[in-house]
Amino acid sequence: AVVSTQSTGGFCETIAREWICIDRLRLDKFHMFVKTMLRGTFEFCESHSWDAELTESVVAVLDEQIINSEKCPDSIAIFVADQLYEIHTDIPNVGFLTQLLKVYATLISKTPKKDLNRVLEGRLFGPVRSQSITIDGAVLVKHIRDISVQPGILTRNRMLLYKLGSDLSSLYDVDTAMVVDQEPNKSADDEVENQMDNSSPDDEMPEIVEGTPAPCKLSAVCEETPMASCQSSGRKLVL
C-alpha cells in the first residue's frame, strides 16, 4: 500500500511539473494518463476494502501534489474534479468521495481566482446541491464551517463557503449553524481588491512626465520594492 501511494505521488508530481510543456496535440493522451491514474487509485483502495489509513494517504497525496499545490496548474485540479463523479459511479465509496470534496472546499477558501471558484462551485458542488451524488453531508458541512471562519480568507471566498454550507445543511438536514451575523474582518488582500474593483476608467489621470514614475493608486496598501513592477507604469510595488 505504501509503495502504491508513493507511485501515485510520483505520478502527480511529474505530471504537475511537465504539464505546461505539453503541446495541444498530445493533451488528450495526458488527460487519459491522469484519468487512468485516478481510476487505478479508486480500484486499489477498493481492493484493500477502503482501508482508512490508505484512503487518508491517497487523499493527502492528491491534496498536496495536485489540488492545493502551488506548483500544479489549476487545469489539472479541474480535470480531476471533472472525473470524480464518473469514476465514483463505477467504484462508489461515500467516505472517500467526501474526503476529496473537503479538499476542494479548502481550495475554494484559499484561491484568489474568481473563475476557478466559479468552475468548482458549478461542476463539482452543483451535483452535490442537486443531490444527484451521495455524500456524507454532515462531514462536509462541518469541514466547510471550520474553514470558513479561519482568518486570512478573502471575503468573497468566505461568503461563498457560508452559502455553500448553508445550502448543504438544509439539503442534508445537518444541524450545523453557519454563523454569518457579523461581517468578518477584511484582510489586506480584500482592501487591494476593493480598490481595484472600485477604480473607474473615467477617473482623471495625472500627467505623466517621461522618466518619472506615475503615482500609484494602491499606495495605501502597497510598498515600493525593487523586486516587482507595475504593468501599467513601471512603478515598483508589492501586492
Side-chain angles (χ1 to χ4, degrees):
V2 174
V3 174
S4 179
T5 303
Q6 292 176 344
S7 298
T8 301
F11 175 87
C12 292
E13 181 179 357
T14 302
I15 203 73
R17 183 181 64 245
E18 303 297 334
W19 191 261
I20 60 174
C21 301
I22 300 172
D23 61 75
R24 291 181 178 273
L25 297 177
R26 299 182 180 181
L27 190 58
D28 288 345
K29 179 189 297 183
F30 286 89
H31 279 156
M32 181 191 67
F33 288 163
V34 175
K35 188 174 181 178
T36 301
M37 180 274 295
L38 283 175
R39 182 171 291 275
T41 300
F42 271 72
E43 291 174 346
F44 183 77
C45 291
E46 183 185 40
S47 68
H48 286 73
S49 303
W50 300 101
D51 177 75
E53 184 178 354
L54 173 61
T55 54
E56 288 177 3
S57 298
V58 170
V59 170
V61 167
L62 294 175
D63 179 13
E64 296 169 6
Q65 301 289 348
I66 296 290
I67 302 171
N68 279 295
S69 171
E70 296 181 356
K71 299 179 180 180
C72 182
D74 295 333
S75 55
I76 305 181
I78 294 173
F79 180 76
V80 170
D82 288 340
Q83 307 307 311
L84 288 182
Y85 295 141
E86 178 183 345
I87 299 175
H88 174 72
T89 301
D90 298 333
I91 313 171
N93 185 273
V94 172
F96 187 57
L97 179 63
T98 303
Q99 293 299 317
L100 290 171
L101 290 176
K102 287 170 57 179
V103 173
Y104 275 102
T106 300
L107 175 58
I108 289 178
S109 74
K110 294 167 57 178
T111 181
K113 302 173 184 176
K114 295 180 181 179
D115 291 341
L116 178 58
N117 273 350
R118 183 163 55 248
V119 169
L120 292 177
E121 186 184 16
R123 295 187 190 179
L124 193 62
F125 290 96
V128 177
R129 278 192 167 107
S130 65
Q131 294 185 299
S132 58
I133 294 293
T134 302
I135 63 166
D136 189 334
V139 171
L140 182 57
V141 170
K142 182 181 183 303
H143 177 72
I144 292 174
R145 181 200 62 187
D146 291 342
I147 61 175
S148 65
V149 298
Q150 293 179 354
I153 297 178
L154 288 174
T155 299
R156 67 166 182 266
N157 292 359
R158 195 187 305 274
M159 300 311 294
L160 179 61
L161 290 170
Y162 283 157
K163 182 66 168 61
L164 179 60
S166 178
D167 291 346
L168 297 183
S169 296
S170 301
L171 289 172
Y172 293 93
D173 297 322
V174 179
D175 187 17
T176 305
M178 302 295 293
V179 181
V180 294
D181 294 335
Q182 298 181 348
E183 184 178 0
N185 294 329
K186 293 186 177 181
S187 64
D189 290 337
D190 284 319
E191 297 297 335
V192 173
E193 179 189 0
N194 289 339
Q195 291 197 29
M196 295 181 68
D197 290 343
N198 293 332
S199 62
S200 170
D202 297 328
D203 289 345
E204 183 179 354
M205 295 297 294
E207 182 180 357
I208 300 176
V209 180
E210 185 176 356
T212 303
C216 179
K217 290 188 175 183
L218 303 181
S219 58
V221 291
C222 67
E223 297 178 354
E224 294 192 359
T225 174
M227 298 304 295
S229 60
C230 176
Q231 292 181 355
S232 61
S233 63
R235 184 177 178 84
K236 308 298 183 179
L237 61 118
V238 172
L239 297 181

